[in-house]
Amino acid sequence: MIRMSLRQFRIQGLVGAILLALAAGYLFRLGADIRAARDTSQLPSQYGQTMLILAAGLGLVPALVGAFWGAPLVARELEAGTHRLVWNQSVTRRRWLAVKLMVLGLASVAVAGTLSALLTWAAGPVDQVAGDRFSAILFGARGVAPTGYAAFGFVFGAVTGLLVRRTLPAMALVFLAVIAVQFAVPNLLRPHYMPAERATVPMSADAINQARALGSITGGPVIGGVEVPNSWITDTSRLLTSDGRQLSDTAFNRCLDDAPKTGATGRFGDTAVCLGELDLHVNIAYQPNQRFWPFQWIELAIYLGFCALLAAVGLWRIQRRVT
């Protein structure tokens, strides 16, 4: 049964192996170039954008695995009618599905784990200087979590193909759904794996200039991209006055639109000076960087739990409902 699964998977496996070899060659070269740099303090500015692109690319792997490896696994058999022959042999339906999920699921995990290990190694010096591997995009491309993403993508794809029974619709649905899950988990679940630390950050003119955004589409005294060294900021309050009240929209908009001309430099210039004179602060919630590995293992466990539930649904469905 295992040998047959591998034979049926040989084309997809060969394509995956070729792409993995090409990616490995690139990451080895990139890691060598990074380690050859003389001024390590400039690594984030030189390679930061590259790391974001690579992290986003690795983030697509679970969706691609689910769509091209998982979704056709059962859907193609049902669509072609070959399941009638397969399930009339000595191997039971549940064993047939369980073996396929195990063998090809492990292949998916191996691909994602190899890519994650190579990218983690290549990006090591950049991450050490930047100290931001806890950010939403980079976190998902480091450590052990990507193996859980790939396992989930594959099992979700296989079960979706079993339920939808059509290969192309299942592939499209799986691709979009896996991306949606990977967007939802960092924003809805990850900040709450462990109780957040809290702090009050004074908003001087210098602190405001170091933020990445000021104001919002809906208006109001909002500041974005406040940073705390070696931490992942999960929540930032609106600008608050010294007595803890929210800064009024009138005062905020006056500094934003009609700040006194002081000739100040910096990202927000005169606006930062105007707001800095109001004795403002923000309350933040954050996760320290030393929680990176506990969060990695927690997220891996969550995705493996998803896999177990999906596999149970698939094994029940294939025995009782599929004809």
Side-chain angles (χ1 to χ4, degrees), residues 185-238:
V185 168
N187 291 282
L188 300 179
L189 297 183
R190 189 182 298 161
H192 309 293
Y193 292 164
M194 298 175 68
E197 300 288 340
R198 299 189 179 276
T200 297
V201 180
M203 286 289 99
S204 63
D206 288 340
I208 292 172
N209 275 324
Q210 291 173 10
R212 291 194 294 270
L214 197 58
S216 66
I217 297 176
T218 58
V222 177
I223 188 167
V226 176
E227 296 183 357
V228 173
N230 300 315
S231 299
W232 173 40
I233 307 298
T234 59
D235 184 62
T236 304
S237 72
R238 292 197 167 199

Side-chain angles (χ1 to χ4, degrees), residues 10-23:
R10 61 184 181 275
I11 296 178
Q12 298 97 314
L14 179 61
V15 173
I18 292 173
L19 294 177
L20 180 61
L22 293 174

